[in-house]
Amino acid sequence: MHIALYKPEIPPNTGNIGRLCHCTGSRLHIIDRPAFSLDEAAVRRAGLDYWEQLPLMLHADWQSFLQWKEGEAKPGRIAAFSRFASQVYSDFEYHEADILLFGQESSGLPAEIVEALGRRQDASLLRIPVSANCRSLNLANAASLALYEALRQQNFQGLDLSLQDRT
């Protein structure tokens, strides 16, 4: 699985998502320039000592990301998250190579990207339901929900399901 963040703005969110990716064997993609340095202490603190081991790919812009995707031997679909989407994330059938795409914390994905994704055969727009008085969830929480739903649908393939003591 892949998680892609478009221009992330909050270092601890990116650090937490990096840790999530490391702990699930997923790859993290950052598209365009984040609003902070990836060397910031807040990113590394949230990512713990996992940050150094994180499979991270940086893409200069949206087009570079799409070029990478098309160059993959087994390109996955793009599952883009937007509060304006009609399909609920848990109703989507995820595949192993899918890319979970999230926008900026303050504004989500740009309208031109959402519109372009709506025209692609290999993309779906998904939403996470929230109450009427809530604009959105925290980015790291949304990424966790979505990734674990995708992994659940794949029977947590590649993850340790044993009950061994981790202390």
Side-chain angles (χ1 to χ4, degrees):
M1 295 295 304
H2 302 263
I3 293 183
L5 305 178
Y6 181 80
K7 291 186 176 182
E9 299 170 306
I10 301 174
N13 282 338
T14 300
N16 283 321
I17 293 168
R19 182 178 179 183
L20 172 71
C21 287
H22 174 77
C23 290
T24 59
S26 303
R27 175 171 281 169
L28 177 61
H29 300 261
I30 296 180
I31 304 166
D32 217 318
R33 287 189 168 272
F36 51 88
S37 166
L38 292 175
D39 292 328
E40 265 190 45
V43 175
R44 295 187 178 283
R45 187 169 33 257
L48 296 175
D49 55 342
Y50 301 121
W51 190 257
E52 297 302 322
Q53 302 166 38
L54 175 66
L56 172 65
M57 291 191 72
L58 303 175
H59 304 277
D61 53 31
W62 178 246
Q63 289 306 317
S64 298
F65 171 72
L66 290 178
Q67 287 172 349
W68 163 82
K69 180 192 173 309
E70 299 309 322
E72 284 289 280
K74 199 173 136 186
R77 300 165 304 159
I78 299 173
F81 288 78
S82 169
R83 66 184 177 127
F84 302 111
S86 58
Q87 185 175 4
V88 175
Y89 80 103
S90 56
D91 293 337
F92 185 73
E93 187 178 320
Y94 297 90
H95 300 152
E96 182 181 351
D98 285 346
I99 302 160
L100 310 181
L101 172 64
F102 297 89
Q104 293 180 289
E105 287 95 331
S106 65
S107 57
L109 290 168
E112 61 271 12
I113 290 179
V114 171
E115 289 170 15
L117 289 171
R119 294 188 297 269
R120 292 181 65 106
Q121 294 289 326
D122 65 345
S124 295
L125 296 173
L126 308 174
R127 70 180 171 86
I128 298 171
V130 295
S131 69
N133 61 354
C134 177
R135 186 170 46 97
S136 65
L137 293 175
N138 169 277
L139 179 63
N141 291 340
S144 295
L145 271 186
L147 180 59
Y148 268 90
E149 172 60 20
L151 294 171
R152 182 195 67 78
Q153 288 183 19
Q154 297 168 56
N155 297 313
F156 300 107
Q157 182 180 351
L159 300 183
D160 184 1
L161 296 175
S162 68
L163 295 175
Q164 65 187 2
D165 184 13
R166 300 208 190 283
T167 56

